[in-house]
């Protein structure tokens, strides 16, 4: 069954969402990310994806105090991404309570350092972030497009020991028009060993069911909840009934 992972994106310490990664589109949904995390926990969710959008833009961790609060006040397994560029950043994330970290830009711009982290912290604690648009990998908070092609990029790192991959189709992100299910199914077909986390575009429970039907291991979603397209209750019931 596809694992359900709600997301909290943070700017200025507040729970926000963007559209296609455009910071000018930000919309504040809650000024207390901890309260949002506690609600997810109350509905039985076990995982939480936190994105430090300030960190992604600033190229260093900014909102680690929010991570610390959520990790310290809930039992959620938190994965954290955004702004992890240095040894100090990754230490800060883990010391603040992250169980896993998502690293994307550094896997493109500093692959040697990324592989050092993979060896040092282990494949169960490092998620390869693969944010893609038009088949290419985007970096630095989606502000820059690299020359790396998605599938060769994934295969290279899976061969190097990566297990977890978070793939976001940027053109779908925040659009509430459905995820790139065919892309994720292709990734699983070509990289069956990948523990893939699909991200971007989820608009309904049917979208999640389609990902499940296609054998996608996990999905991150946020805006559909905040906009009332999916209720936490229906997600909890589906998860309980589908086990």
């Amino acid at each position: 069954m596809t694992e359900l992972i709600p997301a909290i994106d943070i700017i200025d310490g507040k729970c926000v969402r963007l559209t296609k990664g455009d910071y000018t589109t930000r919309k504040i949904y809650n000024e207390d990310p901890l309260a949002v995390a506690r609600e997810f926990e109350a509905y039985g969710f076990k995982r939480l994806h936190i994105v430090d959008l300030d960190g992604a833009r600033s190229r260093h961790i900014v909102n680690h105090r929010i991570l610390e609060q959520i990790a310290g006040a809930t039992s959620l397994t938190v994965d954290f991404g955004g702004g992890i560029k240095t040894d100090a950043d990754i230490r800060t994330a883990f010391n603040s309570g992250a169980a896993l970290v998502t690293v994307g830009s550094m896997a493109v711009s500093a692959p040697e350092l990324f592989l050092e982290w993979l060896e040092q912290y282990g494949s169960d604690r490092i998620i390869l972030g693969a944010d893609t648009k038009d088949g290419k990998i985007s970096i630095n908070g989606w502000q820059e497009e690299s020359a790396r092609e998605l599938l060769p990029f994934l295969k290279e790192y899976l061969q190097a020991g990566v297990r977890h991959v978070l793939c976001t189709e940027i053109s779908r992100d925040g659009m509430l028009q459905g995820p790139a299910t065919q892309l994720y199914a292709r990734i699983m077909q070509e990289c069956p060993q990948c523990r893939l986390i699909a991200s971007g575009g989820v608009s309904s429970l049917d979208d999640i069911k389609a990902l499940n039907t296609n054998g996608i291991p996990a999905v991150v979603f946020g805006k559909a909840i905040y906009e009332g397209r999916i209720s936490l209750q229906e997600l909890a019931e589906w998860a309980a009934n589908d086990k």
Side-chain angles (χ1 to χ4, degrees):
M1 179 186 170
T2 298
E3 183 178 11
L4 305 180
I5 308 174
I8 292 177
D9 294 357
I10 301 171
I11 292 179
D12 295 334
K14 301 171 183 177
C15 180
V16 308
R17 293 295 291 178
L18 308 180
T19 299
K20 296 184 180 180
D22 183 350
Y23 282 77
T24 66
T25 67
R26 70 175 176 179
K27 181 176 179 180
I28 298 171
Y29 287 97
N30 196 303
E31 297 198 1
D32 187 355
L34 176 56
V36 176
R38 282 176 164 158
E39 185 175 15
F40 291 146
E41 183 181 36
Y43 275 93
F45 292 93
K46 305 299 183 184
R47 282 278 299 273
L48 178 65
H49 177 62
I50 297 179
V51 182
D52 181 358
L53 290 173
D54 290 314
R57 186 163 53 176
S58 302
R59 305 190 184 189
H60 61 83
I61 285 183
V62 174
N63 288 295
H64 60 279
R65 296 299 182 195
I66 303 295
L67 166 62
E68 196 171 59
Q69 290 174 5
I70 291 173
T74 73
S75 61
L76 294 165
T77 298
V78 178
D79 74 73
F80 179 88
I84 297 175
K85 304 292 187 185
T86 65
D87 288 328
D89 288 324
I90 198 167
R91 283 197 302 269
T92 296
F94 284 130
N95 289 340
S96 298
L100 306 94
V101 298
T102 299
V103 181
S105 299
M106 297 302 287
V108 174
S109 60
E112 300 86 357
L113 182 57
F114 177 85
L115 291 172
E116 284 181 18
W117 291 343
L118 185 65
E119 182 176 359
Q120 180 178 354
Y121 295 103
S123 61
D124 284 329
R125 302 195 76 191
I126 303 291
I127 301 171
L128 174 64
D131 302 324
T132 184
K133 184 178 181 182
D134 299 325
K136 300 286 184 66
I137 297 293
S138 293
I139 60 174
N140 295 323
W142 304 351
Q143 306 303 299
E144 300 175 33
E145 184 178 286
S146 78
R148 297 300 307 272
E149 298 279 350
L150 174 62
L151 282 168
F153 176 78
L154 295 183
K155 290 176 180 178
E156 175 185 321
Y157 276 113
L158 289 165
Q159 289 177 354
V162 163
R163 292 185 63 237
H164 301 274
V165 173
L166 174 67
C167 184
T168 303
E169 217 308 328
I170 296 170
S171 67
R172 304 291 185 107
D173 186 71
M175 297 299 291
L176 297 173
Q177 295 177 354
T181 304
Q182 290 184 335
L183 171 65
Y184 303 134
R186 183 184 174 196
I187 291 172
M188 292 307 301
Q189 183 177 20
E190 297 201 23
C191 309
Q193 76 275 36
C194 177
R195 178 68 184 173
L196 179 64
I197 307 167
S199 173
V202 170
S203 64
S204 67
L205 181 56
D206 285 341
D207 288 337
I208 291 174
K209 289 178 179 178
L211 291 169
N212 186 56
T213 298
N214 280 275
I216 310 306
V219 58
V220 162
F221 51 90
K223 194 169 187 176
I225 296 172
Y226 302 126
E227 291 284 343
R229 299 288 192 93
I230 308 176
S231 75
L232 294 177
Q233 183 65 40
E234 70 175 326
L235 284 174
E237 290 175 358
W238 176 75
N241 292 333
D242 212 59
K243 287 181 179 177

